[in-house]
């Protein structure tokens, strides 16, 4: 039995073993060359093979060899056609006129001359190969001269240059003029090579005539339209005995991006030698694509184009008034291709309770919403059909008008589907124990007259009739701050209230605070600790009413670094008319901070700011009515402050001037509330990767809340195109659920047309996104990204 093995015909590391038998020297210093090929500079450690074939390949191993610009061979002169494999290896082809002797490697810094002479083998020659084309398993005859010196036949194996090799002990015939060898099953067409099979072999390619290896050939590529799994297919052709397996080739990247199926499994087939046919059945997960023969060498040959059948004439019964638990019958043609069903608002696909050629029965999940349900097919294709859920209707209220703070009875149909009642002004009330015809809720004290919305357990909602609400009998807010008003910690908040005579106190986050009541205007002191979801409580005796506001936390920093009163002048004493500020006060101060002088200026007032060596930085000239004078601390100013030395103190600045009293100096700046959660700096290619944000608790740890802002910072790698947007960002939750965003009108893809500037995308966290960011993290990540022509730099939360 013939034995075959795959290996690289050139084994680079074996070359390093030659240093024990081949010595070299450099003309630069006349000493032996260090055999450490990884040392710096230009060094030669080994060359070979030696002897070598004229017309064969000569290799040099060392370091810095990419700097060699020519190689001198005796009889052949300088050779400049050098193949640089790496800085540690170069190769040349030995000319036919080369003679024995020392080899010289030339570079800009000198030359290296070998101590060992180059010698040559006999002039081995290949004159022909036959038959050509040849079939794997057939005998191939190679003719030439001195072939008895060659110990290995190397057949092409792949595009990377690997080969499948047959050694001399397995040759059928081996003489000076002839080598006969059986072509391995793994051989491909290409350039055939002979080798001496040494550690650093002489390799001789036969480039005059490329080897052609026979492949299986179908009589015609079949067109399988409306194909179905299990369908029997027969392909007739020649050399079909060379087929080792069959498969359906992969989809294009565009098809995969559309969510279509991956490769089907290998296809089982039967070969009939007498009829020269191959017969197979399409697998259960067959999909659109190309069916290919695969040979032992891995070459693929198309034998059929396939397009899988899809159901038609599809309809659902019942199609409306649906509830969770209802059985839906979906009928049509070819319904036996359905594998499962995806409902709107339900992440996990539902398996049908029964499937036949004409209908599918499936149970509707409780969370399903109205819309198109998607039928997933065995082939990876999909078909949709519309459904509509049951909703609250015929709604009436009792009592009407409804007193705020009292119970309201709502009657109608399908009210058992209601989870929350939303009154005008956005006040939500959870519903407990509703029936199909009735529910009861307490009207909030803050509810206003107007439309009432009923939110169902599946997330859908309907609007009921308008409700008139009678106002409460305790102090309550009747006029909220304007929507665009900024409520900041440490400031005064103004609201309008009703029943103001009943107000006895105000609390912020449970703590009593100062307030001023001026008629119906209530001014509340917001403490510096206030932030998002701050609770303000109006107290009326033993009753109270809570309101929740998002307050901008205190971000302003003020560090007082000088608090003495100094009357500045050009003359006079330090501490009386001049003063110093010291370096320790400026440590950690950010660029852009302000040095603020609190002052009482006179006519032509001046404040001169000098460095530690009395070098003037700037002279401020406040007006007579100014209370402060400011100096912005640029990077240059800060550098001067921190690096200028007077040689005896830590002075940063010396302040002098005229006609100005300074009573306080402070450093002030603003702190950003934005925190960086993740910095992948990942190029997304063209939907080339699924980038997982593998810090699953990042948002929870950072204190994400409803109303927080998430920003995605990006670097586009292509120019924007508003006609055909080509800069994309697609975001999924941690369970691969597609996300949609009101910022782009409910869409799911940010691009230059739907969003605009693709250097930063900002989204507001709503309740749905909050739940996903904080709960769908058990797969090891909290978000997944896809995109096109962007580098995703970082994700932040504010």
């Amino acid at each position: 039995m013939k034995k075959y093995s795959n290996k690289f015909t050139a084994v680079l590391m074996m070359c390093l073993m030659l240093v024990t038998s081949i010595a070299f020297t450099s003309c630069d210093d006349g000493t032996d060359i260090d055999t450490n090929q990884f040392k710096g500079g230009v060094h030669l450690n080994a060359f070979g093979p030696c002897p070598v074939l004229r017309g064969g390949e000569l290799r040099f191993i060392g370091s810095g060899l990419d700097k060699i610009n020519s190689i001198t061979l005796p009889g052949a002169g300088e050779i400049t056609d050098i193949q640089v494999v790496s800085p540690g290896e170069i190769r040349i082809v030995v000319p036919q006129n080369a003679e024995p002797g020392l080899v010289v490697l030339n570079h800009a810094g000198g030359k290296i001359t070998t101590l060992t002479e180059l010698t040559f083998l006999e002039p081995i020659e290949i004159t022909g190969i036959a038959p050509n084309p040849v079939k794997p398993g057939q005998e191939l005859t190679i003719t030439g001269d001195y072939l008895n010196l060659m110990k290995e036949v190397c057949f092409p194996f792949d595009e990377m240059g690997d080969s499948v090799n047959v050694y001399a002990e397995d040759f059928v015939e081996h003489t000076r003029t002839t080598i006969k060898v059986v072509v391995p099953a793994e051989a491909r067409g290409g350039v055939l090579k002979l080798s001496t099979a040494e550690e650093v072999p002489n390799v001789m390619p036969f480039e005059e005539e490329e080897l052609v290896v026979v492949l299986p050939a179908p009589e015609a590529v079949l067109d399988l339209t409306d194909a179905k799994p299990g369908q029997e297919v027969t392909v007739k052709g020649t050399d079909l005995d060379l087929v080792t397996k069959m498969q359906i080739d992969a989809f294009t990247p565009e098809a995969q991006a559309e969510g279509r199926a991956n490769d089907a499994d290998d296809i089982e087939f039967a070969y009939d030698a007498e009829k020269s046919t191959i017969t197979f059945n399409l697998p259960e997960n067959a999909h659109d694509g190309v069916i290919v023969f695969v040979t032992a060498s891995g070459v693929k040959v198309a034998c059929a184009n396939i397009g899988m059948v899809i159901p038609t004439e599809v309809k659902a019964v019942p199609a409306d008034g649906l509830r969770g638990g209802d059985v839906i019958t979906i009928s049509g043609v070819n319904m036996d291709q359905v594998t499962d069903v995806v409902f709107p608002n339900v992440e996990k696909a539902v398996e049908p309770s029964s499937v036949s050629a004409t209908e599918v029965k499936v149970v509707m999940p409780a969370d399903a919403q109205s819309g198109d349900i998607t039928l997933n097919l065995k082939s990876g294709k999909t078909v949709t059909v519309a459904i509509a859920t049951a909703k609250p209707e015929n709604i009436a209220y009792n009592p009407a008008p409804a007193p705020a703070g009292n119970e309201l009875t709502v009657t109608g149909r399908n009210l058992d589907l209601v989870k929350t009642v939303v009154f005008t002004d956005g006040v939500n009330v959870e519903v407990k124990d509703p029936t199909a015809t009735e529910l009861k809720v307490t009207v909030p004290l803050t509810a206003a007259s107007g439309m009432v919305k009923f939110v169902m357990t599946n997330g859908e909602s309907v609007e009921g009739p308008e409700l008139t609400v009678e106002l409460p009998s305790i102090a309550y807010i009747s006029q909220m701050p304007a929507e665009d008003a900024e409520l900041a910690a440490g400031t005064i908040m103004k609201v309008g209230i009703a029943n103001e005579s009943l107000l006895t106190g105000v609390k912020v986050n449970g703590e009593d605070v100062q307030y001023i009541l001026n008629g119906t205007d209530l001014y509340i002191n917001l403490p510096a600790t206030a932030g998002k979801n701050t609770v303000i409580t109006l107290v009326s005796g033993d009753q109270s009413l809570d309101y929740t506001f998002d307050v901008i936390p205190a971000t302003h920093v003020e560090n007082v670094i000088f608090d003495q009163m100094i009357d500045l002048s050009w003359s006079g004493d330090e501490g009386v008319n001049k003063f110093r500020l010291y370096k320790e006060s400026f440590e950690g101060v950010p660029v852009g901070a302000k040095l603020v002088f609190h002052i009482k200026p006179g006519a032509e007032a001046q404040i001169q700011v000098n460095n530690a060596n009395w070098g003037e930085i700037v002279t401020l000239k406040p007006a007579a009515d100014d209370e402060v004078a400011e100096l912005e601390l640029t990077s240059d100013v800060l550098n001067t402050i921190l690096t200028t030395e007077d040689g005896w103190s830590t002075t940063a600045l010396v302040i002098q001037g005229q006609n100005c009293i300074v009573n306080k100096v402070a450093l002030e700046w603003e702190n950003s509330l934005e925190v960086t959660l993740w910095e992948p700096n990942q190029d997304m290619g063209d939907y080339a990767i699924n980038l997982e944000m593998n810090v699953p608790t990042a948002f929870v740890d950072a204190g994400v809340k409803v109303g927080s802002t998430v920003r995605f910072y990006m670097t586009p790698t292509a120019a924007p195109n508003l006609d055909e947007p080509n800069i994309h960002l697609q975001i999924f939750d941690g369970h691969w659920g597609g996300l949609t965003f009101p910022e782009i009108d409910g869409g799911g893809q940010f691009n230059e047309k739907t969003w605009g500037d693709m250097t930063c995308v900002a989204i507001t966290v709503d309740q749905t996104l909050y739940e996903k960011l904080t709960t769908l993290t058990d797969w090891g990540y909290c978000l997944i990204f896809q995109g096109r022509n962007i580098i995703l730099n970082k994700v932040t939360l504010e």
Side-chain angles (χ1 to χ4, degrees):
M1 178 181 295
K2 302 295 180 186
K3 299 179 181 178
Y4 308 107
S5 66
N6 294 329
K7 76 181 186 84
F8 287 106
T9 57
V11 185
L12 176 59
M13 293 306 296
M14 289 185 178
C15 295
L16 299 180
M17 300 171 63
L18 294 178
V19 296
T20 60
S21 60
I22 304 175
F24 307 90
T25 186
S26 168
C27 290
D28 293 335
D29 56 17
T31 60
D32 288 344
I33 297 300
D34 189 335
T35 56
N36 176 13
Q37 74 178 96
F38 302 106
K39 66 192 294 182
V42 182
H43 292 273
L44 177 65
N45 296 340
F47 79 101
C50 190
V52 68
L53 288 167
R54 291 181 177 86
E57 194 173 63
L58 186 61
R59 308 178 188 188
F60 299 86
I61 307 297
S63 62
L65 297 183
D66 54 332
K67 297 180 174 61
I68 299 298
N69 50 48
S70 68
I71 297 175
T72 304
L73 297 183
E78 287 195 7
I79 298 171
T80 58
D81 187 5
I82 301 172
Q83 179 189 359
V84 178
V85 178
S86 70
E89 180 183 355
I90 58 176
R91 303 178 184 182
I92 62 171
V93 175
V94 179
Q96 293 295 333
N97 59 347
E99 298 175 357
L102 298 178
V103 180
V104 179
L105 285 72
N106 305 297
H107 60 91
K111 60 184 179 179
I112 301 172
T113 303
T114 64
L115 289 178
T116 303
E117 289 192 352
L118 179 67
T119 58
F120 295 92
L121 287 173
E122 297 295 339
I124 300 171
E125 180 183 24
I126 305 173
T127 58
I129 54 176
N132 194 24
V134 64
K135 186 174 181 179
Q138 284 186 325
E139 188 176 282
L140 178 70
T141 299
I142 305 166
T143 56
D145 201 3
Y146 294 104
L147 299 184
N148 57 305
L149 300 177
M150 308 308 283
K151 307 299 182 182
E152 180 183 28
V153 179
C154 308
F155 290 88
F157 177 63
D158 63 17
E159 295 83 355
M160 302 300 295
D162 286 351
S163 60
V164 55
N165 306 322
V166 181
Y167 296 97
E169 58 264 29
D170 295 315
F171 291 175
V172 176
E173 182 180 333
H174 192 192
T175 68
R176 173 175 168 172
T177 60
T178 302
I179 294 176
K180 291 185 178 180
V181 64
V182 175
V183 178
E186 298 88 351
R188 293 187 180 188
V191 176
L192 187 74
K193 299 178 181 179
L194 300 184
S195 165
T196 56
E198 299 166 312
E199 288 182 346
V200 181
N202 276 290
V203 178
M204 173 170 285
F206 183 57
E207 297 179 334
E208 285 76 7
E209 180 183 357
E210 285 200 358
L211 180 69
V212 179
V213 176
V214 172
L215 296 173
E219 285 187 351
V221 177
L222 302 181
D223 181 9
L224 304 179
T225 302
D226 289 336
K228 299 179 70 172
Q231 178 178 330
E232 185 177 272
V233 180
T234 298
V235 181
K236 186 175 179 59
T238 57
D239 299 305
L240 301 185
D241 56 320
L242 297 176
V243 177
T244 59
K245 66 178 181 179
M246 296 181 64
Q247 64 187 35
I248 302 179
D249 245 13
F251 278 112
T252 62
E254 290 77 14
Q256 291 175 335
E258 293 170 5
R260 294 161 65 185
N262 294 322
D263 280 351
D265 296 332
D266 288 348
I267 301 172
E268 295 184 3
F269 64 93
Y271 168 60
D272 188 324
E274 183 177 346
K275 297 180 180 178
S276 192
T277 60
I278 281 180
T279 301
F280 59 93
N281 296 94
L282 294 179
E284 282 298 303
N285 61 345
H287 54 72
D288 290 3
V290 179
I291 301 178
V292 295
F293 295 143
V294 184
T295 66
S297 62
V299 175
K300 296 179 180 180
V301 178
C303 66
N305 293 314
I306 180 173
M308 300 302 294
V309 70
I310 62 172
T312 56
E313 303 176 22
V314 179
K315 63 179 180 179
V317 177
D320 54 21
L322 291 165
R323 292 168 162 262
D326 286 350
V327 176
I328 305 174
T329 300
I330 307 170
S331 60
V333 180
N334 296 317
M335 298 303 295
D336 53 351
Q337 301 305 302
V338 176
T339 58
D340 51 39
V341 181
V342 178
F343 286 83
N345 196 49
V346 178
E347 292 185 9
K348 188 176 181 180
V350 180
E351 292 188 7
S353 55
S354 67
V355 177
S356 71
T358 57
E359 69 177 27
V360 169
K361 292 183 181 292
V362 64
V363 177
M364 177 167 164
D367 291 337
Q369 295 181 350
S370 300
D372 286 342
I373 60 176
T374 301
L375 310 182
N376 291 327
L377 309 181
K378 296 176 181 178
S379 63
K381 294 183 177 182
T382 59
V383 175
T384 60
V385 60
I387 62 166
T389 59
K391 296 177 178 63
E393 54 187 36
N394 300 334
I395 295 171
Y397 309 120
N398 184 33
N406 291 357
E407 185 176 78
L408 174 69
T409 299
V410 181
T411 58
R413 295 180 57 191
N414 299 321
L415 297 181
D416 55 329
L417 300 176
V418 177
K419 177 183 179 181
T420 306
V421 177
V422 182
F423 291 87
T424 300
D425 286 348
V427 184
N428 298 349
V429 180
E430 297 296 317
V431 177
K432 296 182 179 179
D433 304 320
T435 67
T437 58
E438 182 182 275
L439 62 83
K440 296 183 178 182
V441 292
T442 298
V443 180
L445 292 171
T446 54
S449 298
M451 200 71 68
V452 180
K453 183 166 67 175
F454 296 85
V455 181
M456 300 162 56
T457 55
N458 67 354
E460 294 183 275
S461 63
V462 297
E463 289 188 345
E466 289 192 2
L467 174 67
T468 300
V469 177
E470 296 179 341
L471 301 178
S473 57
I474 64 173
Y476 66 92
I477 296 177
S478 58
Q479 183 176 359
M480 293 288 183
E483 289 187 5
D484 58 352
E486 292 189 349
L487 306 179
T491 63
I492 304 298
M493 170 183 172
K494 178 186 174 182
V495 294
I497 69 170
N499 298 331
E500 65 277 5
S501 62
L502 302 178
L503 182 70
T504 59
V506 177
K507 295 182 178 183
V508 175
N509 291 330
E511 300 292 332
D512 290 327
V513 297
Q514 293 182 339
Y515 66 92
I516 296 174
L517 182 61
N518 184 9
T520 59
D521 292 333
L522 177 63
Y523 298 87
I524 303 170
N525 183 29
L526 296 176
T529 56
K532 285 187 176 293
N533 297 319
T534 290
V535 177
I536 296 179
T537 304
L538 303 189
V539 181
S540 301
D542 59 357
Q543 299 183 71
S544 62
L545 190 56
D546 291 339
Y547 299 86
T548 300
F549 295 91
D550 284 337
V551 177
I552 301 172
T555 59
H556 181 74
V557 176
E558 180 183 25
N559 287 341
V560 177
I561 62 174
F562 186 83
D563 61 355
Q564 301 177 32
M565 184 175 292
I566 299 291
D567 188 359
L568 296 179
S569 72
W570 301 115
S571 59
D573 299 325
E574 283 193 22
V576 179
N577 306 109
K578 303 176 177 64
F579 63 95
R580 294 173 181 265
L581 302 175
Y582 295 93
K583 285 183 170 58
E584 49 265 32
S585 299
F586 294 85
E587 295 292 340
V589 175
V591 173
K594 293 181 178 180
L595 183 65
V596 181
F597 297 88
H598 293 259
I599 57 175
K600 184 174 180 58
E604 298 182 353
Q606 294 186 30
I607 304 171
Q608 188 181 81
V609 181
N610 305 287
N611 64 29
N613 286 325
W614 288 85
E616 181 182 354
I617 296 175
V618 68
T619 296
L620 304 176
K621 298 179 179 180
D625 57 350
D626 285 349
E627 295 181 351
V628 297
E630 297 179 348
L631 169 62
E632 182 177 354
L633 301 181
T634 64
S635 58
D636 289 340
V637 173
L638 271 176
N639 184 63
T640 298
I641 290 172
L642 295 173
T643 60
T644 303
E645 303 286 347
D646 62 7
W648 61 273
S649 72
T650 61
T651 297
L653 297 173
V654 182
I655 311 299
Q656 63 179 353
Q658 69 178 23
N659 303 334
C660 188
I661 296 174
V662 177
N663 54 63
K664 184 174 73 172
V665 180
L667 289 166
E668 298 184 17
W669 67 87
E670 304 297 323
N671 279 334
S672 173
L673 296 178
E674 186 176 13
V675 294
T676 297
L677 305 183
W678 190 49
E679 294 183 88
N681 290 313
Q682 176 64 55
D683 191 336
M684 307 298 290
D686 187 358
Y687 289 93
I689 62 171
N690 301 320
L691 181 60
E692 299 160 353
M693 187 172 174
N694 54 0
V695 277
T697 63
F699 287 96
V700 175
D701 295 341
V704 64
K705 299 177 182 179
V706 173
S708 297
T709 299
V710 181
R711 293 185 178 89
F712 307 96
Y713 290 90
M714 297 165 290
T715 302
T717 58
N721 186 336
L722 294 179
D723 295 327
E724 295 182 10
N726 63 352
I727 305 173
H728 299 178
L729 176 66
Q730 196 96 17
I731 309 171
F732 303 84
D733 64 38
H735 282 189
W736 272 107
L739 299 178
T740 57
F741 305 96
E743 289 85 352
I744 49 175
D745 298 328
Q749 183 191 92
F750 292 92
N751 58 54
E752 59 265 51
K753 186 173 184 179
T754 62
W755 176 256
D757 181 8
M758 288 298 289
T759 60
C760 179
V761 165
I763 61 174
T764 301
V765 178
D766 59 17
Q767 184 63 37
T768 299
L769 181 57
Y770 172 82
E771 292 175 359
K772 291 178 182 292
L773 292 175
T774 56
T775 61
L776 299 183
T777 59
D778 53 311
W779 290 5
Y781 28 84
C782 50
L783 289 175
I784 305 169
F785 303 89
Q786 292 181 340
R788 172 181 294 165
N789 294 328
I790 59 167
I791 298 172
L792 182 58
N793 301 120
K794 66 179 179 178
V795 180
T796 69
L797 178 70
E798 181 179 0

